[in-house]
Amino acid sequence: IDASEVSIHSTFQALQVFQTSNNRLPRPYNEEDALSLIEIAKSLNANIDTRIVHKISCTCQAKLTPMTSICGGITAQEVVK
C-alpha cells in the first residue's frame, strides 16, 4: 500500500470524526477548519501527508454538477429505452 493511499484513508476517517463532532463538513477553503482536520488526522496517523489532508478539507464540499448532469442524462435515457 502506497503512503498516499494511507493518507487518503486516514483523511476520510478524520473527516468522519470532524463531521460527527461539528455536524458539518469543513467549509470550502477555510483555514481554521483545515487545521482542525489536520489535527484530527495527525491524531489518527502521525505520518500523514498534511498536504493531502488540506486539499481534501478545502474541496470536500465540492459539487460535481457537470458529472451529475451527465449521469442523470444517461440514466434518464436508459429509463426511456
Side-chain angles (χ1 to χ4, degrees):
I1 295 177
D2 189 341
S4 63
E5 293 172 354
V6 173
S7 290
I8 291 170
H9 180 73
S10 296
T11 301
F12 279 107
Q13 289 178 322
L15 267 174
Q16 187 173 17
V17 171
F18 183 95
Q19 187 174 20
T20 301
S21 63
N22 295 301
N23 295 322
R24 62 175 175 81
L25 289 171
R27 294 169 288 197
Y29 297 97
N30 183 288
E31 285 301 315
E32 183 181 329
D33 287 353
L35 293 175
S36 177
L37 187 64
I38 289 170
E39 184 178 312
I40 294 168
K42 280 186 176 180
S43 72
L44 297 172
N45 179 1
N47 299 323
I48 197 160
D49 185 351
T50 58
R51 294 173 301 161
I52 291 174
V53 180
H54 190 270
K55 286 180 185 179
I56 291 176
S57 173
C58 290
T59 59
C60 67
Q61 287 196 35
K63 304 262 189 278
L64 301 176
T65 305
M67 182 61 78
T68 56
S69 65
I70 289 171
C71 291
I74 292 170
T75 304
Q77 183 63 34
E78 292 302 314
V79 169
V80 171
K81 283 184 185 179

